[in-house]
Amino acid sequence: MKRILQLFLPVILLSHVAVAQRTIKGVIKNNEGQPLAGATVGIKGTTTYALADSVGQFSIDTRKEPPFFLAFSYIGYKINEVHITRQTGDFLDVTLAKNDLLGEVVITARRRKETLQAVPIPISVIGGTLAEEAGAFNVNRLKELVPSVQLYSSNPRNTGLSIRGLGTTFGLTNDGIDPGVGFYVDGVYYARPAATTIDFLDVEQIEVLRGPQGTLFGKNTTAGTFNVTTRKPSFTPGANFELSYGNYGYIQAKSSLTGPLGDKFAGRLSFSGTHRDGLIYNQATDKHTNTLNNLGARGQLLFRPSEKLEIILAADATRQRPDGYAQVYAGVAPTLRPDYRQFNKIISDLNYTLPRQNPFDRIIDHDTPWRSSQDLGGASLNVDIKVGSGKLTSTTAYRFWNWDPSNDRDFTGLQALALSQAPSKHRQWSQEIRWAGNILPRVTGVLGVFAFGQKLDPDGAHTEESGRDQWRFSQASTSALWKTPGLFEGYGIKSYPRLKTFSGAIFGQVDWAITDKLSVLPGLRFNYDDKEVNFRRDTYGGLQTEDPALVALKNQVYTPQAFEAQIDDTNWSGQLTVAYKATKQINVFATYSTGFKPVGLNLGGLPVTGGKTMLDLAVIKPEEVRHYEIGIKTTPTDNSIVNLTVYNTDITNYQTQVQAADLSVNRGYLANAEKVRVRGAELDASIRIKDFLSFYGALAYTDGEYVTFTNAPPPLEETGGPTFKDISGGQLPGISKWAASLGGEVSTLGKFVGQGGSYFFAFDTYYRSSFSSNPSPSKYLVVDSYVLLNARAGFRVVNGLSAFVWARNLLDTEYFEQLLPGAGNAGHYAGVLGDPRTYGITLRYSL
């Protein structure tokens, strides 16, 4: 992997060979006619550039026959590209427009181009350049810039993406539930949460919409939406190469090439590769684990036969082969089980000693290999046609996901669980057709239809297998029969969960400008869902015996299960927003919306009580959402933004994932909490001072609780007591009361290796308060508050060589991202560790 990435270094140093020469002179000014000393003029697609002098004048030897493009750039101003032909004169008068109107950030959240401050939706926008320079190359790192976003991942499959604490169920993933946060890339819906762990590829912009968005997007989004836009192919030749080196053997290479393939065709090819050595040392294997090993590529072909028609064919593929996602022993909770069933007594009787008590020593002795291999990819065809006063868009897509894991779910060097593997294959297709534009002189809108199908099957079988030490972890009495040699060794289950779903929807939203200041935005959605599950689980191995007493002991660990379920449902949901533009600088809005998440189907097995499988939990009820929101967007000056949103979300039949003490319930099971409530406030602000100083920040207060949940499993420390517990009034998992981010940058013009640009220093900080890390609140499974500080400094240019050094978690903060109980609830729990201090250097070359 390292060798592949290092091949990009010589590519970065390539330059074009001069084939001709022509001198072009001119002057570069701003809108007020003032000269822009130090502005850069460069030839697109080459390394040739020149700088404007103290009175804004420049002279550049092109060394290239027309036609070509000259790109004029200056910090704080928009890039201006001039097409040079044989008829173009030898003196140019170029004007650059300021780029300091923060409210003019263009977004596509409502399926058409609009400015951020004009849209009555709480949205956070992260530009691709900021994401790249801040090291936010995937969603998990992006959350440090958008505090309302939470992502938890104990491996790619077990990834939960939430906005305002709602979305994917917290904990270990159950594939039978729909995500509540939509994840879109160039209009294509990604159904598997694992997709959020892959590296971004050539991203132009990331929009994070908060709150239900079912009337704007094809798939139900009860909590919010990630709308990722990649850079399109361009008819102007261009190339970017980037290489990063860091500690822990970190190396990341990125590249992107674009240009014309004819008069009507253009292409773009992007690549990303990331490698990092492991951050945890495994004594059992004598090597470090939790590596990064990612490769991704994306290709796009643009066909633009006229100004009214644009067609883009895109394909992408990502391969991940990390040695990792290992969790470390983080502590032990005393349970209500007898003394001989306490974790410390169990490991003492097995003559086992933990390699470390302090999880931040980052040392484990796991004897089952950790593996999290996945392949993701697909293809899409996007067609945009100008129809009447609007645009008709068709997005057709097919995607796949192949998952091949191995986990050590007892989190120790003991052979309690010898195998924990759930290889899977997922296939999905989607078709969305929508029209966006002007309906009447004062009415604009979005109308669309959406169809989506998916199929999820095991790749062979999902396997859970006991080891030689399982008898001591499962021992539920003092009977000597538990010690029967070989009774549990090799005893396991093979599960075959199969899911097939179809979802169809008609959705729309209009914007009626009653007056120049007052607008009403109603939206409506009709949804149809059809889901089918077939689940079978067989036991195998262990001591082959017909002794009823021994068979009964084996059945206390694993039992066969089988069930089928098929259900379809329809639902109407919608929203109503009233927006009032009090002044040019103030935009106020209020929204009431309803949301819907379809029925859930348990695909990880069902709990057993009294020797009987609880088949009534095979299907869980759909979620119903009632959401209220009031917001104000202000632009105090042309260079500043202050936005505030206050909201309340009530959910009936909240779909939650709960951990059971039953080993046969693989990764937990789904259940309904009768009612939950999330309320909070969000403050976003940014300011730019002159052309050299900027700050941005966000503050989120979130209060989430189970209003009513009377039949929840007990927390870890109450294992051995009643099977269920009323946790009404308890805290929802994964939600910090307070989360905040703050960043800024200072820059100054200068030269580096003979080229003009800007030197800069930038920082980002991220804070979140403590949060519950278990669906049923536990005083042991609480992640403490923490603060992260990231910084970077260097030199950047629009075209040419940029270089900067960076550091993430500069203060080397020790923190958990998540805490998880061990399988079977023996009392011990493990932690997903946050990364330690990392640092490195990035070189970027643009043509």
Side-chain angles (χ1 to χ4, degrees):
M1 177 66 177
K2 280 187 177 181
R3 291 178 180 177
I4 295 175
L5 300 182
Q6 288 170 338
L7 290 176
F8 280 79
L9 184 57
V11 175
I12 291 175
L13 301 178
L14 288 177
S15 62
H16 288 264
V17 177
V19 296
Q21 184 161 322
R22 175 186 176 188
T23 300
I24 296 179
K25 298 181 179 181
V27 62
I28 309 174
K29 300 176 294 185
N30 61 19
N31 285 329
E32 289 76 37
Q34 298 170 331
L36 295 178
T40 300
V41 53
I43 302 174
K44 292 285 291 184
T46 76
T47 61
T48 304
Y49 67 91
L51 300 178
D53 60 20
S54 59
V55 292
Q57 294 185 356
F58 70 91
S59 176
I60 183 169
D61 293 330
T62 64
R63 295 182 297 174
K64 183 178 179 70
E65 288 290 343
F68 55 84
F69 285 86
L70 286 181
F72 298 85
S73 60
Y74 189 73
I75 301 302
Y77 289 78
K78 297 178 181 178
I79 297 174
N80 187 358
E81 294 185 0
V82 177
H83 192 202
I84 304 298
T85 66
R86 294 186 184 277
Q87 289 73 38
T88 305
D90 291 335
F91 190 89
L92 300 179
D93 192 332
V94 180
T95 300
L96 299 185
K98 277 199 171 185
N99 192 28
D100 58 0
L101 300 181
L102 299 179
E104 289 188 352
V105 174
V106 176
I107 61 174
T108 59
R110 296 201 298 173
R111 308 315 218 172
R112 51 194 185 273
K113 291 184 177 180
E114 300 173 292
T115 59
L116 174 65
Q117 289 299 88
V119 177
I121 301 173
I123 305 176
S124 299
V125 179
I126 304 297
T129 300
L130 173 59
E132 290 167 354
E133 292 186 353
F137 59 82
N138 57 27
V139 178
N140 193 35
R141 292 191 168 187
L142 188 71
K143 71 185 181 185
E144 296 172 13
L145 300 175
V146 187
S148 293
V149 172
Q150 300 91 27
L151 186 138
Y152 309 97
S153 183
S154 54
N155 66 38
R157 183 201 192 103
N158 294 322
T159 297
L161 176 62
S162 298
I163 296 176
R164 296 171 170 172
L166 301 173
T168 310
T169 52
F170 185 88
L172 301 178
T173 296
N174 193 305
D175 294 312
I177 193 172
D178 284 20
V181 173
F183 188 79
Y184 290 82
V185 178
D186 290 339
V188 177
Y189 172 68
Y190 286 31
R192 289 295 100 196
T196 60
T197 66
I198 65 177
D199 293 358
F200 291 133
L201 278 169
D202 208 10
V203 167
E204 176 72 27
Q205 186 166 278
I206 303 161
E207 301 166 8
V208 182
L209 289 72
R210 307 189 287 273
Q213 306 296 332
T215 61
L216 286 175
F217 290 82
K219 196 68 176 72
N220 263 342
T221 54
T222 57
T225 297
F226 266 75
N227 188 31
V228 180
T229 304
T230 66
R231 298 182 176 103
K232 288 184 177 182
S234 173
F235 286 93
T236 301
N240 289 282
F241 304 96
E242 182 179 299
L243 189 65
S244 299
Y245 287 100
N247 59 337
Y248 297 105
Y250 177 82
I251 178 172
Q252 184 178 71
K254 297 179 182 180
S255 65
S256 178
L257 302 171
T258 188
L261 302 175
D263 292 340
K264 299 178 180 179
F265 288 91
R268 191 174 195 96
L269 182 62
S270 308
F271 166 87
S272 176
T274 305
H275 171 88
R276 189 193 64 196
D277 296 338
L279 301 179
I280 296 175
Y281 176 67
N282 190 345
Q283 293 182 165
T285 59
D286 191 26
K287 68 176 184 179
H288 286 81
T289 189
N290 286 20
T291 64
L292 292 178
N293 196 329
N294 308 334
L295 284 174
R298 181 179 182 84
Q300 299 180 74
L301 178 63
L302 167 65
F303 175 50
R304 187 181 293 159
S306 70
E307 291 299 318
K308 292 186 176 182
L309 176 62
E310 180 178 281
I311 300 173
I312 296 181
L313 176 65
D316 67 277
T318 295
R319 176 183 182 270
Q320 290 188 330
R321 294 294 185 272
D323 181 308
Y325 286 90
Q327 292 103 59
V328 301
Y329 168 87
V332 61
T335 69
L336 298 181
R337 286 170 168 168
D339 289 344
Y340 73 89
R341 298 200 66 185
Q342 302 299 314
F343 176 76
N344 289 331
K345 177 61 175 173
I346 292 171
I347 64 173
S348 175
D349 289 350
L350 294 172
N351 296 316
Y352 172 75
T353 302
L354 291 162
R356 287 291 192 279
Q357 296 283 340
N358 181 4
F360 295 103
D361 288 343
R362 298 179 181 269
I363 295 177
I364 60 175
D365 63 347
H366 300 175
D367 51 355
T368 298
W370 286 94
R371 184 176 68 249
S372 298
S373 301
Q374 64 172 345
D375 297 297
L376 306 94
S380 64
L381 181 67
N382 195 86
V383 181
D384 286 326
I385 309 173
K386 291 184 179 179
V387 178
S389 58
K391 183 172 69 175
L392 183 69
T393 300
S394 170
T395 303
T396 307
Y398 169 83
R399 297 202 62 77
F400 69 87
W401 174 56
N402 297 328
W403 172 239
D404 181 22
S406 175
N407 308 288
D408 194 330
R409 289 186 61 225
D410 57 50
F411 308 126
T412 69
L414 294 168
Q415 279 283 298
L417 285 176
L419 293 177
S420 180
Q421 302 171 350
S424 303
K425 289 184 176 182
H426 174 265
R427 304 292 182 266
Q428 70 169 71
W429 63 267
S430 61
Q431 174 65 60
E432 182 173 340
I433 300 174
R434 67 180 181 274
W435 180 88
N438 298 319
I439 301 173
L440 294 170
R442 284 189 169 270
V443 179
T444 62
V446 177
L447 303 172
V449 294
F450 178 75
F452 168 80
Q454 67 173 328
K455 187 178 181 183
L456 181 69
D457 295 303
D459 190 1
H462 293 184
T463 303
E464 295 280 328
E465 184 177 298
S466 298
R468 61 181 179 273
D469 302 313
Q470 183 59 60
W471 72 271
R472 189 62 186 85
F473 281 84
S474 296
Q475 184 179 4
S477 71
T478 55
S479 169
L481 292 178
W482 287 96
K483 299 181 181 180
T484 303
L487 181 63
F488 297 106
E489 190 169 359
Y491 179 54
I493 48 178
K494 290 188 179 293
S495 301
Y496 306 89
R498 303 184 186 278
L499 175 71
K500 187 176 181 180
T501 72
F502 171 80
S503 178
I506 302 172
F507 60 95
Q509 180 175 307
V510 298
D511 186 340
W512 177 24
I514 300 175
T515 70
D516 291 341
K517 293 187 174 182
L518 179 64
S519 297
V520 177
L521 298 85
L524 192 63
R525 178 187 184 89
F526 173 76
N527 214 78
Y528 170 77
D529 289 279
D530 186 297
K531 291 191 173 186
E532 180 180 343
V533 64
N534 183 301
F535 183 88
R536 177 170 62 88
R537 169 171 290 167
D538 302 322
T539 58
Y540 71 92
L543 181 66
Q544 300 303 301
T545 177
E546 296 182 359
D547 185 330
L550 295 179
V551 171
L553 294 185
K554 292 178 69 175
N555 286 338
Q556 289 189 47
V557 179
Y558 293 128
T559 56
Q561 291 184 11
F563 59 87
E564 294 182 0
Q566 190 280 327
I567 190 166
D568 58 7
D569 199 6
T570 59
N571 170 264
W572 288 93
S573 58
Q575 66 103 36
L576 178 64
T577 297
V578 177
Y580 183 71
K581 194 172 183 62
T583 67
K584 184 180 178 180
Q585 290 79 26
I586 300 176
N587 193 6
V588 182
F589 63 91
T591 297
Y592 168 73
S593 61
T594 61
F596 171 79
K597 188 189 289 188
V599 294
L601 302 173
N602 265 301
L603 282 180
L606 298 174
V608 176
T609 182
K612 295 183 178 181
T613 303
M614 300 177 67
L615 294 176
D616 57 318
L617 288 176
V619 178
I620 64 170
K621 300 175 184 177
E623 280 187 2
E624 296 182 5
V625 180
R626 298 290 182 270
H627 177 77
Y628 310 85
E629 188 166 77
I630 298 175
I632 178 171
K633 292 188 172 185
T634 69
T635 309
T637 68
D638 287 344
N639 304 323
S640 63
I641 287 174
V642 179
N643 299 334
L644 176 66
T645 306
V646 179
Y647 65 90
N648 182 91
T649 304
D650 295 309
I651 302 179
T652 303
N653 295 322
Y654 175 72
Q655 296 173 347
T656 184
Q657 172 86 349
V658 294
Q659 181 73 27
D662 187 345
L663 270 180
S664 65
V665 182
N666 186 13
R667 299 185 303 280
Y669 66 95
L670 295 172
N672 285 117
E674 293 93 318
K675 187 176 181 179
V676 305
R677 181 187 64 230
V678 178
R679 57 177 54 158
E682 297 161 333
L683 179 67
D684 299 273
S686 58
I687 186 171
R688 178 174 290 154
I689 303 172
K690 300 295 184 181
D691 295 331
F692 62 88
L693 184 63
S694 62
F695 294 99
Y696 50 88
L699 176 66
Y701 170 79
T702 313
D703 179 26
E705 70 169 33
Y706 294 105
V707 177
T708 310
F709 194 3
T710 57
N711 208 31
L716 176 62
E717 61 268 30
E718 295 181 29
T719 302
T723 305
F724 296 99
K725 180 182 180 179
D726 184 348
I727 61 171
S728 301
Q731 183 182 5
L732 283 177
I735 298 179
S736 295
K737 288 274 190 182
W738 294 96
S741 63
L742 176 66
E745 178 178 301
V746 59
S747 62
T748 183
L749 295 175
K751 289 186 178 181
F752 176 67
V753 294
Q755 59 182 354
S758 64
Y759 288 93
F760 72 95
F761 169 79
F763 73 95
D764 300 292
T765 60
Y766 174 63
Y767 165 79
R768 67 177 306 181
S769 61
S770 62
F771 63 91
S772 168
S773 189
N774 195 60
S776 295
S778 165
K779 64 181 180 181
Y780 292 93
L781 301 178
V782 174
V783 173
D784 292 333
S785 62
Y786 59 89
V787 176
L788 301 179
L789 172 62
N790 308 319
R792 54 198 178 276
F795 179 84
R796 71 160 74 95
V797 294
V798 175
N799 291 310
L801 179 64
S802 300
F804 61 93
V805 294
W806 47 265
R808 294 183 56 81
N809 190 8
L810 188 60
L811 303 179
D812 204 18
T813 300
E814 296 180 340
Y815 68 102
F816 293 112
E817 292 200 347
Q818 193 177 354
L819 294 173
L820 303 164
N825 289 18
H828 67 306
Y829 53 93
V832 178
L833 296 179
D835 289 352
R837 180 194 297 120
T838 56
Y839 51 85
I841 184 171
T842 294
L843 303 175
R844 181 182 300 137
Y845 190 73
S846 302
L847 297 175

